[in-house]
Amino acid sequence: MFVSFFQVKSEGPKLVPFFKATCVYFVLWLPTSSPSWFSALIKCLPIFCLWVFLLAHGINFLVSHRSASRILAGLIFSAVGDAFLIWQEQGYFIHGLLMFAITHILYSSAFGMKPLDLKAGLFMGLVCSSCYAFLYSYLSGPFTYLVAVYIALIGFMGWRAVAGMQLCNDLWTWTKLSACIGAMLFMVSDLTIALNKFCFPVPYSRFIIMATYYAAQMLIALSAVESRDEEDFRKRS
């Protein structure tokens, strides 16, 4: 318990730029009806700060820990996807979808396949199947299969994050909990996007989408630092 407290306390100050950048986004609240490179920068700035957060742990750390480097790569593709979605009404929605699909593949790889936890996989499969079944009647053209593939990928990512949580024993860590909650929030964010775009207007959709999205990315970025934090703690002990 003390180790976890030390780890959280040591990482908190490094996230201050992220919190400030997120506040800038919500304070400026630039209109989506007039996309620009400035609005893309403001939207991507919190993700850029998460790049810096991971890079601050050192290049050697990223090189020696594949999960951390894959999460950093996922954050890079996320930023590109965010930029594409600024111009989604100009035909770049599918480009953004592709970037985030790659992000989920990278995150899944970072979370790994152990423990397998087939029960969690079955549950996630049922949740994702139910979501797609609801969306199906609203979809047309290429979105009929593109959304299906995307839901499968984010569902797989969610499964791997949930599987890492071993609440019934002493194997769970705060970083695995962080990954689990982050993955769930990412799914909430993307489901809100899908409902708002394909089905019906969701009240306060933009706030829900971005608040859950930024929180998800922060928590997933935090999940990458477990090995470094444990090493630092041992040195201080």
PDB file of all heavy atoms in Angstrom, residues 28-62:
ATOM      1  N   LEU A  28     -11.188  27.273 -23.787  1.00  0.00           N
ATOM      2  CA  LEU A  28     -11.325  27.887 -25.117  1.00  0.00           C
ATOM      3  C   LEU A  28     -12.564  27.360 -25.854  1.00  0.00           C
ATOM      4  O   LEU A  28     -13.269  28.115 -26.524  1.00  0.00           O
ATOM      5  CB  LEU A  28     -10.070  27.624 -25.952  1.00  0.00           C
ATOM      6  CG  LEU A  28      -8.802  28.341 -25.494  1.00  0.00           C
ATOM      7  CD1 LEU A  28      -7.651  28.022 -26.442  1.00  0.00           C
ATOM      8  CD2 LEU A  28      -9.011  29.853 -25.424  1.00  0.00           C
ATOM      9  N   TRP A  29     -12.802  26.056 -25.745  1.00  0.00           N
ATOM     10  CA  TRP A  29     -13.988  25.415 -26.324  1.00  0.00           C
ATOM     11  C   TRP A  29     -14.252  25.920 -27.756  1.00  0.00           C
ATOM     12  O   TRP A  29     -15.292  26.464 -28.073  1.00  0.00           O
ATOM     13  CB  TRP A  29     -15.200  25.679 -25.442  1.00  0.00           C
ATOM     14  CG  TRP A  29     -16.315  24.673 -25.594  1.00  0.00           C
ATOM     15  CD1 TRP A  29     -17.558  24.895 -26.122  1.00  0.00           C
ATOM     16  CD2 TRP A  29     -16.293  23.293 -25.206  1.00  0.00           C
ATOM     17  NE1 TRP A  29     -18.302  23.746 -26.081  1.00  0.00           N
ATOM     18  CE2 TRP A  29     -17.558  22.733 -25.528  1.00  0.00           C
ATOM     19  CE3 TRP A  29     -15.326  22.476 -24.633  1.00  0.00           C
ATOM     20  CZ2 TRP A  29     -17.883  21.407 -25.290  1.00  0.00           C
ATOM     21  CZ3 TRP A  29     -15.644  21.147 -24.389  1.00  0.00           C
ATOM     22  CH2 TRP A  29     -16.903  20.624 -24.713  1.00  0.00           C
ATOM     23  N   LEU A  30     -13.239  25.748 -28.608  1.00  0.00           N
ATOM     24  CA  LEU A  30     -13.305  26.263 -29.969  1.00  0.00           C
ATOM     25  C   LEU A  30     -14.430  25.585 -30.741  1.00  0.00           C
ATOM     26  O   LEU A  30     -14.641  24.374 -30.617  1.00  0.00           O
ATOM     27  CB  LEU A  30     -11.970  26.026 -30.680  1.00  0.00           C
ATOM     28  CG  LEU A  30     -10.779  26.757 -30.052  1.00  0.00           C
ATOM     29  CD1 LEU A  30      -9.477  26.263 -30.665  1.00  0.00           C
ATOM     30  CD2 LEU A  30     -10.926  28.253 -30.233  1.00  0.00           C
ATOM     31  N   PRO A  31     -15.170  26.330 -31.549  1.00  0.00           N
ATOM     32  CA  PRO A  31     -16.303  25.750 -32.295  1.00  0.00           C
ATOM     33  C   PRO A  31     -15.838  24.718 -33.316  1.00  0.00           C
ATOM     34  O   PRO A  31     -14.838  24.930 -34.011  1.00  0.00           O
ATOM     35  CB  PRO A  31     -16.933  26.969 -32.984  1.00  0.00           C
ATOM     36  CG  PRO A  31     -15.842  27.978 -33.052  1.00  0.00           C
ATOM     37  CD  PRO A  31     -15.012  27.771 -31.823  1.00  0.00           C
ATOM     38  N   THR A  32     -16.555  23.612 -33.376  1.00  0.00           N
ATOM     39  CA  THR A  32     -16.204  22.553 -34.323  1.00  0.00           C
ATOM     40  C   THR A  32     -16.647  22.894 -35.737  1.00  0.00           C
ATOM     41  O   THR A  32     -16.236  22.237 -36.694  1.00  0.00           O
ATOM     42  CB  THR A  32     -16.849  21.225 -33.900  1.00  0.00           C
ATOM     43  OG1 THR A  32     -18.274  21.412 -33.787  1.00  0.00           O
ATOM     44  CG2 THR A  32     -16.321  20.776 -32.545  1.00  0.00           C
ATOM     45  N   SER A  33     -17.472  23.912 -35.873  1.00  0.00           N
ATOM     46  CA  SER A  33     -17.990  24.285 -37.194  1.00  0.00           C
ATOM     47  C   SER A  33     -16.948  24.995 -38.052  1.00  0.00           C
ATOM     48  O   SER A  33     -17.134  25.141 -39.254  1.00  0.00           O
ATOM     49  CB  SER A  33     -19.217  25.198 -37.039  1.00  0.00           C
ATOM     50  OG  SER A  33     -18.888  26.336 -36.267  1.00  0.00           O
ATOM     51  N   SER A  34     -15.859  25.455 -37.418  1.00  0.00           N
ATOM     52  CA  SER A  34     -14.811  26.137 -38.179  1.00  0.00           C
ATOM     53  C   SER A  34     -13.454  25.511 -37.860  1.00  0.00           C
ATOM     54  O   SER A  34     -12.657  26.079 -37.103  1.00  0.00           O
ATOM     55  CB  SER A  34     -14.786  27.626 -37.849  1.00  0.00           C
ATOM     56  OG  SER A  34     -14.673  27.823 -36.445  1.00  0.00           O
ATOM     57  N   PRO A  35     -13.189  24.304 -38.394  1.00  0.00           N
ATOM     58  CA  PRO A  35     -11.940  23.601 -38.092  1.00  0.00           C
ATOM     59  C   PRO A  35     -10.722  24.373 -38.594  1.00  0.00           C
ATOM     60  O   PRO A  35     -10.767  25.019 -39.644  1.00  0.00           O
ATOM     61  CB  PRO A  35     -12.099  22.270 -38.827  1.00  0.00           C
ATOM     62  CG  PRO A  35     -13.078  22.533 -39.915  1.00  0.00           C
ATOM     63  CD  PRO A  35     -14.019  23.555 -39.350  1.00  0.00           C
ATOM     64  N   SER A  36      -9.644  24.320 -37.832  1.00  0.00           N
ATOM     65  CA  SER A  36      -8.416  24.999 -38.206  1.00  0.00           C
ATOM     66  C   SER A  36      -7.243  24.265 -37.574  1.00  0.00           C
ATOM     67  O   SER A  36      -7.424  23.409 -36.691  1.00  0.00           O
ATOM     68  CB  SER A  36      -8.439  26.451 -37.716  1.00  0.00           C
ATOM     69  OG  SER A  36      -8.420  26.492 -36.300  1.00  0.00           O
ATOM     70  N   TRP A  37      -6.039  24.613 -38.022  1.00  0.00           N
ATOM     71  CA  TRP A  37      -4.853  24.006 -37.430  1.00  0.00           C
ATOM     72  C   TRP A  37      -4.700  24.424 -35.978  1.00  0.00           C
ATOM     73  O   TRP A  37      -4.168  23.660 -35.162  1.00  0.00           O
ATOM     74  CB  TRP A  37      -3.608  24.375 -38.240  1.00  0.00           C
ATOM     75  CG  TRP A  37      -3.525  23.625 -39.524  1.00  0.00           C
ATOM     76  CD1 TRP A  37      -3.732  24.108 -40.781  1.00  0.00           C
ATOM     77  CD2 TRP A  37      -3.238  22.225 -39.666  1.00  0.00           C
ATOM     78  NE1 TRP A  37      -3.591  23.098 -41.708  1.00  0.00           N
ATOM     79  CE2 TRP A  37      -3.290  21.937 -41.056  1.00  0.00           C
ATOM     80  CE3 TRP A  37      -2.951  21.198 -38.767  1.00  0.00           C
ATOM     81  CZ2 TRP A  37      -3.056  20.657 -41.551  1.00  0.00           C
ATOM     82  CZ3 TRP A  37      -2.720  19.920 -39.267  1.00  0.00           C
ATOM     83  CH2 TRP A  37      -2.768  19.657 -40.633  1.00  0.00           C
ATOM     84  N   PHE A  38      -5.190  25.612 -35.632  1.00  0.00           N
ATOM     85  CA  PHE A  38      -5.116  26.056 -34.243  1.00  0.00           C
ATOM     86  C   PHE A  38      -6.018  25.188 -33.363  1.00  0.00           C
ATOM     87  O   PHE A  38      -5.617  24.757 -32.274  1.00  0.00           O
ATOM     88  CB  PHE A  38      -5.522  27.522 -34.127  1.00  0.00           C
ATOM     89  CG  PHE A  38      -5.497  28.044 -32.715  1.00  0.00           C
ATOM     90  CD1 PHE A  38      -4.289  28.231 -32.052  1.00  0.00           C
ATOM     91  CD2 PHE A  38      -6.673  28.337 -32.035  1.00  0.00           C
ATOM     92  CE1 PHE A  38      -4.252  28.697 -30.736  1.00  0.00           C
ATOM     93  CE2 PHE A  38      -6.644  28.810 -30.728  1.00  0.00           C
ATOM     94  CZ  PHE A  38      -5.431  28.986 -30.077  1.00  0.00           C
ATOM     95  N   SER A  39      -7.237  24.920 -33.829  1.00  0.00           N
ATOM     96  CA  SER A  39      -8.147  24.074 -33.047  1.00  0.00           C
ATOM     97  C   SER A  39      -7.604  22.646 -32.944  1.00  0.00           C
ATOM     98  O   SER A  39      -7.767  21.980 -31.915  1.00  0.00           O
ATOM     99  CB  SER A  39      -9.549  24.075 -33.660  1.00  0.00           C
ATOM    100  OG  SER A  39      -9.527  23.630 -34.995  1.00  0.00           O
ATOM    101  N   ALA A  40      -6.934  22.183 -34.011  1.00  0.00           N
ATOM    102  CA  ALA A  40      -6.319  20.858 -33.960  1.00  0.00           C
ATOM    103  C   ALA A  40      -5.208  20.825 -32.920  1.00  0.00           C
ATOM    104  O   ALA A  40      -5.075  19.854 -32.157  1.00  0.00           O
ATOM    105  CB  ALA A  40      -5.772  20.478 -35.333  1.00  0.00           C
ATOM    106  N   LEU A  41      -4.418  21.902 -32.858  1.00  0.00           N
ATOM    107  CA  LEU A  41      -3.339  21.979 -31.875  1.00  0.00           C
ATOM    108  C   LEU A  41      -3.875  21.966 -30.452  1.00  0.00           C
ATOM    109  O   LEU A  41      -3.373  21.237 -29.592  1.00  0.00           O
ATOM    110  CB  LEU A  41      -2.519  23.254 -32.109  1.00  0.00           C
ATOM    111  CG  LEU A  41      -1.437  23.560 -31.058  1.00  0.00           C
ATOM    112  CD1 LEU A  41      -0.384  22.457 -31.035  1.00  0.00           C
ATOM    113  CD2 LEU A  41      -0.799  24.910 -31.329  1.00  0.00           C
ATOM    114  N   ILE A  42      -4.918  22.752 -30.212  1.00  0.00           N
ATOM    115  CA  ILE A  42      -5.499  22.824 -28.868  1.00  0.00           C
ATOM    116  C   ILE A  42      -6.064  21.469 -28.452  1.00  0.00           C
ATOM    117  O   ILE A  42      -5.927  21.033 -27.306  1.00  0.00           O
ATOM    118  CB  ILE A  42      -6.591  23.909 -28.809  1.00  0.00           C
ATOM    119  CG1 ILE A  42      -5.983  25.290 -29.036  1.00  0.00           C
ATOM    120  CG2 ILE A  42      -7.329  23.874 -27.475  1.00  0.00           C
ATOM    121  CD1 ILE A  42      -4.901  25.668 -28.045  1.00  0.00           C
ATOM    122  N   LYS A  43      -6.701  20.781 -29.410  1.00  0.00           N
ATOM    123  CA  LYS A  43      -7.279  19.465 -29.108  1.00  0.00           C
ATOM    124  C   LYS A  43      -6.200  18.421 -28.826  1.00  0.00           C
ATOM    125  O   LYS A  43      -6.355  17.570 -27.947  1.00  0.00           O
ATOM    126  CB  LYS A  43      -8.156  19.007 -30.278  1.00  0.00           C
ATOM    127  CG  LYS A  43      -8.877  17.691 -30.022  1.00  0.00           C
ATOM    128  CD  LYS A  43      -9.694  17.271 -31.222  1.00  0.00           C
ATOM    129  CE  LYS A  43     -10.452  15.974 -30.954  1.00  0.00           C
ATOM    130  NZ  LYS A  43     -11.180  15.493 -32.159  1.00  0.00           N
ATOM    131  N   CYS A  44      -5.094  18.510 -29.570  1.00  0.00           N
ATOM    132  CA  CYS A  44      -4.031  17.513 -29.439  1.00  0.00           C
ATOM    133  C   CYS A  44      -3.057  17.830 -28.311  1.00  0.00           C
ATOM    134  O   CYS A  44      -2.295  16.945 -27.892  1.00  0.00           O
ATOM    135  CB  CYS A  44      -3.247  17.401 -30.748  1.00  0.00           C
ATOM    136  SG  CYS A  44      -4.208  16.763 -32.134  1.00  0.00           S
ATOM    137  N   LEU A  45      -3.068  19.043 -27.808  1.00  0.00           N
ATOM    138  CA  LEU A  45      -2.071  19.469 -26.826  1.00  0.00           C
ATOM    139  C   LEU A  45      -2.019  18.569 -25.582  1.00  0.00           C
ATOM    140  O   LEU A  45      -0.915  18.214 -25.132  1.00  0.00           O
ATOM    141  CB  LEU A  45      -2.329  20.924 -26.427  1.00  0.00           C
ATOM    142  CG  LEU A  45      -1.215  21.611 -25.623  1.00  0.00           C
ATOM    143  CD1 LEU A  45       0.095  21.580 -26.398  1.00  0.00           C
ATOM    144  CD2 LEU A  45      -1.610  23.052 -25.296  1.00  0.00           C
ATOM    145  N   PRO A  46      -3.163  18.165 -24.998  1.00  0.00           N
ATOM    146  CA  PRO A  46      -3.066  17.260 -23.849  1.00  0.00           C
ATOM    147  C   PRO A  46      -2.379  15.937 -24.189  1.00  0.00           C
ATOM    148  O   PRO A  46      -1.639  15.384 -23.354  1.00  0.00           O
ATOM    149  CB  PRO A  46      -4.538  17.036 -23.456  1.00  0.00           C
ATOM    150  CG  PRO A  46      -5.240  18.265 -23.940  1.00  0.00           C
ATOM    151  CD  PRO A  46      -4.559  18.600 -25.231  1.00  0.00           C
ATOM    152  N   ILE A  47      -2.586  15.440 -25.405  1.00  0.00           N
ATOM    153  CA  ILE A  47      -1.938  14.194 -25.813  1.00  0.00           C
ATOM    154  C   ILE A  47      -0.444  14.415 -25.999  1.00  0.00           C
ATOM    155  O   ILE A  47       0.372  13.561 -25.638  1.00  0.00           O
ATOM    156  CB  ILE A  47      -2.580  13.636 -27.099  1.00  0.00           C
ATOM    157  CG1 ILE A  47      -4.096  13.509 -26.929  1.00  0.00           C
ATOM    158  CG2 ILE A  47      -1.968  12.270 -27.449  1.00  0.00           C
ATOM    159  CD1 ILE A  47      -4.529  12.642 -25.767  1.00  0.00           C
ATOM    160  N   PHE A  48      -0.071  15.572 -26.550  1.00  0.00           N
ATOM    161  CA  PHE A  48       1.354  15.905 -26.646  1.00  0.00           C
ATOM    162  C   PHE A  48       1.998  15.891 -25.265  1.00  0.00           C
ATOM    163  O   PHE A  48       3.128  15.428 -25.096  1.00  0.00           O
ATOM    164  CB  PHE A  48       1.542  17.290 -27.276  1.00  0.00           C
ATOM    165  CG  PHE A  48       1.105  17.394 -28.714  1.00  0.00           C
ATOM    166  CD1 PHE A  48       0.815  18.632 -29.266  1.00  0.00           C
ATOM    167  CD2 PHE A  48       0.994  16.271 -29.520  1.00  0.00           C
ATOM    168  CE1 PHE A  48       0.408  18.743 -30.590  1.00  0.00           C
ATOM    169  CE2 PHE A  48       0.587  16.365 -30.850  1.00  0.00           C
ATOM    170  CZ  PHE A  48       0.298  17.613 -31.374  1.00  0.00           C
ATOM    171  N   CYS A  49       1.273  16.408 -24.279  1.00  0.00           N
ATOM    172  CA  CYS A  49       1.796  16.437 -22.905  1.00  0.00           C
ATOM    173  C   CYS A  49       1.995  15.028 -22.359  1.00  0.00           C
ATOM    174  O   CYS A  49       2.917  14.791 -21.560  1.00  0.00           O
ATOM    175  CB  CYS A  49       0.863  17.229 -21.997  1.00  0.00           C
ATOM    176  SG  CYS A  49       0.833  18.997 -22.360  1.00  0.00           S
ATOM    177  N   LEU A  50       1.160  14.092 -22.771  1.00  0.00           N
ATOM    178  CA  LEU A  50       1.342  12.705 -22.346  1.00  0.00           C
ATOM    179  C   LEU A  50       2.547  12.075 -23.031  1.00  0.00           C
ATOM    180  O   LEU A  50       3.209  11.196 -22.452  1.00  0.00           O
ATOM    181  CB  LEU A  50       0.068  11.894 -22.625  1.00  0.00           C
ATOM    182  CG  LEU A  50      -1.146  12.268 -21.770  1.00  0.00           C
ATOM    183  CD1 LEU A  50      -2.365  11.449 -22.178  1.00  0.00           C
ATOM    184  CD2 LEU A  50      -0.864  12.095 -20.283  1.00  0.00           C
ATOM    185  N   TRP A  51       2.859  12.519 -24.264  1.00  0.00           N
ATOM    186  CA  TRP A  51       4.115  12.085 -24.891  1.00  0.00           C
ATOM    187  C   TRP A  51       5.283  12.488 -24.000  1.00  0.00           C
ATOM    188  O   TRP A  51       6.166  11.688 -23.708  1.00  0.00           O
ATOM    189  CB  TRP A  51       4.328  12.755 -26.252  1.00  0.00           C
ATOM    190  CG  TRP A  51       3.361  12.465 -27.336  1.00  0.00           C
ATOM    191  CD1 TRP A  51       2.238  11.696 -27.271  1.00  0.00           C
ATOM    192  CD2 TRP A  51       3.441  12.963 -28.678  1.00  0.00           C
ATOM    193  NE1 TRP A  51       1.605  11.703 -28.494  1.00  0.00           N
ATOM    194  CE2 TRP A  51       2.318  12.462 -29.368  1.00  0.00           C
ATOM    195  CE3 TRP A  51       4.344  13.786 -29.345  1.00  0.00           C
ATOM    196  CZ2 TRP A  51       2.077  12.765 -30.711  1.00  0.00           C
ATOM    197  CZ3 TRP A  51       4.114  14.089 -30.689  1.00  0.00           C
ATOM    198  CH2 TRP A  51       2.996  13.578 -31.360  1.00  0.00           C
ATOM    199  N   VAL A  52       5.265  13.765 -23.598  1.00  0.00           N
ATOM    200  CA  VAL A  52       6.342  14.306 -22.772  1.00  0.00           C
ATOM    201  C   VAL A  52       6.406  13.577 -21.431  1.00  0.00           C
ATOM    202  O   VAL A  52       7.488  13.280 -20.915  1.00  0.00           O
ATOM    203  CB  VAL A  52       6.156  15.824 -22.552  1.00  0.00           C
ATOM    204  CG1 VAL A  52       7.206  16.361 -21.592  1.00  0.00           C
ATOM    205  CG2 VAL A  52       6.203  16.567 -23.885  1.00  0.00           C
ATOM    206  N   PHE A  53       5.244  13.264 -20.875  1.00  0.00           N
ATOM    207  CA  PHE A  53       5.172  12.537 -19.613  1.00  0.00           C
ATOM    208  C   PHE A  53       5.919  11.204 -19.709  1.00  0.00           C
ATOM    209  O   PHE A  53       6.701  10.847 -18.819  1.00  0.00           O
ATOM    210  CB  PHE A  53       3.709  12.298 -19.237  1.00  0.00           C
ATOM    211  CG  PHE A  53       3.508  11.309 -18.124  1.00  0.00           C
ATOM    212  CD1 PHE A  53       3.783  11.647 -16.811  1.00  0.00           C
ATOM    213  CD2 PHE A  53       3.029  10.031 -18.396  1.00  0.00           C
ATOM    214  CE1 PHE A  53       3.604  10.739 -15.784  1.00  0.00           C
ATOM    215  CE2 PHE A  53       2.836   9.113 -17.378  1.00  0.00           C
ATOM    216  CZ  PHE A  53       3.121   9.461 -16.076  1.00  0.00           C
ATOM    217  N   LEU A  54       5.698  10.464 -20.786  1.00  0.00           N
ATOM    218  CA  LEU A  54       6.383   9.182 -20.953  1.00  0.00           C
ATOM    219  C   LEU A  54       7.859   9.377 -21.298  1.00  0.00           C
ATOM    220  O   LEU A  54       8.723   8.659 -20.783  1.00  0.00           O
ATOM    221  CB  LEU A  54       5.686   8.347 -22.025  1.00  0.00           C
ATOM    222  CG  LEU A  54       4.324   7.770 -21.642  1.00  0.00           C
ATOM    223  CD1 LEU A  54       3.742   6.957 -22.782  1.00  0.00           C
ATOM    224  CD2 LEU A  54       4.429   6.898 -20.395  1.00  0.00           C
ATOM    225  N   LEU A  55       8.140  10.334 -22.146  1.00  0.00           N
ATOM    226  CA  LEU A  55       9.541  10.591 -22.523  1.00  0.00           C
ATOM    227  C   LEU A  55      10.370  11.042 -21.330  1.00  0.00           C
ATOM    228  O   LEU A  55      11.580  10.810 -21.276  1.00  0.00           O
ATOM    229  CB  LEU A  55       9.599  11.642 -23.632  1.00  0.00           C
ATOM    230  CG  LEU A  55       9.101  11.179 -25.013  1.00  0.00           C
ATOM    231  CD1 LEU A  55       8.966  12.369 -25.950  1.00  0.00           C
ATOM    232  CD2 LEU A  55      10.046  10.133 -25.598  1.00  0.00           C
ATOM    233  N   ALA A  56       9.714  11.680 -20.352  1.00  0.00           N
ATOM    234  CA  ALA A  56      10.412  12.154 -19.157  1.00  0.00           C
ATOM    235  C   ALA A  56      10.972  11.010 -18.319  1.00  0.00           C
ATOM    236  O   ALA A  56      11.863  11.216 -17.488  1.00  0.00           O
ATOM    237  CB  ALA A  56       9.474  13.018 -18.308  1.00  0.00           C
ATOM    238  N   HIS A  57      10.469   9.805 -18.540  1.00  0.00           N
ATOM    239  CA  HIS A  57      10.983   8.651 -17.807  1.00  0.00           C
ATOM    240  C   HIS A  57      12.267   8.115 -18.424  1.00  0.00           C
ATOM    241  O   HIS A  57      12.886   7.203 -17.874  1.00  0.00           O
ATOM    242  CB  HIS A  57       9.922   7.544 -17.757  1.00  0.00           C
ATOM    243  CG  HIS A  57       8.769   7.873 -16.872  1.00  0.00           C
ATOM    244  ND1 HIS A  57       7.728   8.669 -17.275  1.00  0.00           N
ATOM    245  CD2 HIS A  57       8.493   7.532 -15.582  1.00  0.00           C
ATOM    246  CE1 HIS A  57       6.860   8.799 -16.286  1.00  0.00           C
ATOM    247  NE2 HIS A  57       7.300   8.126 -15.247  1.00  0.00           N
ATOM    248  N   GLY A  58      12.656   8.686 -19.567  1.00  0.00           N
ATOM    249  CA  GLY A  58      13.928   8.317 -20.182  1.00  0.00           C
ATOM    250  C   GLY A  58      13.776   7.425 -21.399  1.00  0.00           C
ATOM    251  O   GLY A  58      12.908   6.546 -21.437  1.00  0.00           O
ATOM    252  N   ILE A  59      14.604   7.669 -22.386  1.00  0.00           N
ATOM    253  CA  ILE A  59      14.587   6.874 -23.607  1.00  0.00           C
ATOM    254  C   ILE A  59      14.944   5.419 -23.310  1.00  0.00           C
ATOM    255  O   ILE A  59      14.365   4.487 -23.877  1.00  0.00           O
ATOM    256  CB  ILE A  59      15.556   7.456 -24.653  1.00  0.00           C
ATOM    257  CG1 ILE A  59      15.135   8.876 -25.060  1.00  0.00           C
ATOM    258  CG2 ILE A  59      15.613   6.558 -25.892  1.00  0.00           C
ATOM    259  CD1 ILE A  59      13.767   8.951 -25.691  1.00  0.00           C
ATOM    260  N   ASN A  60      15.904   5.225 -22.404  1.00  0.00           N
ATOM    261  CA  ASN A  60      16.310   3.854 -22.063  1.00  0.00           C
ATOM    262  C   ASN A  60      15.140   3.061 -21.486  1.00  0.00           C
ATOM    263  O   ASN A  60      14.992   1.867 -21.756  1.00  0.00           O
ATOM    264  CB  ASN A  60      17.469   3.873 -21.063  1.00  0.00           C
ATOM    265  CG  ASN A  60      18.763   4.364 -21.687  1.00  0.00           C
ATOM    266  OD1 ASN A  60      18.937   4.268 -22.901  1.00  0.00           O
ATOM    267  ND2 ASN A  60      19.662   4.888 -20.871  1.00  0.00           N
ATOM    268  N   PHE A  61      14.315   3.749 -20.674  1.00  0.00           N
ATOM    269  CA  PHE A  61      13.140   3.092 -20.105  1.00  0.00           C
ATOM    270  C   PHE A  61      12.183   2.661 -21.210  1.00  0.00           C
ATOM    271  O   PHE A  61      11.676   1.532 -21.215  1.00  0.00           O
ATOM    272  CB  PHE A  61      12.432   4.047 -19.141  1.00  0.00           C
ATOM    273  CG  PHE A  61      11.049   3.596 -18.736  1.00  0.00           C
ATOM    274  CD1 PHE A  61      10.881   2.523 -17.889  1.00  0.00           C
ATOM    275  CD2 PHE A  61       9.920   4.246 -19.214  1.00  0.00           C
ATOM    276  CE1 PHE A  61       9.615   2.094 -17.510  1.00  0.00           C
ATOM    277  CE2 PHE A  61       8.655   3.828 -18.845  1.00  0.00           C
ATOM    278  CZ  PHE A  61       8.506   2.751 -17.988  1.00  0.00           C
ATOM    279  N   LEU A  62      11.936   3.533 -22.176  1.00  0.00           N
ATOM    280  CA  LEU A  62      11.017   3.216 -23.262  1.00  0.00           C
ATOM    281  C   LEU A  62      11.558   2.095 -24.139  1.00  0.00           C
ATOM    282  O   LEU A  62      10.802   1.242 -24.608  1.00  0.00           O
ATOM    283  CB  LEU A  62      10.750   4.464 -24.105  1.00  0.00           C
ATOM    284  CG  LEU A  62       9.974   5.584 -23.402  1.00  0.00           C
ATOM    285  CD1 LEU A  62       9.939   6.841 -24.266  1.00  0.00           C
ATOM    286  CD2 LEU A  62       8.549   5.132 -23.084  1.00  0.00           C
TER     287      LEU A  62
END
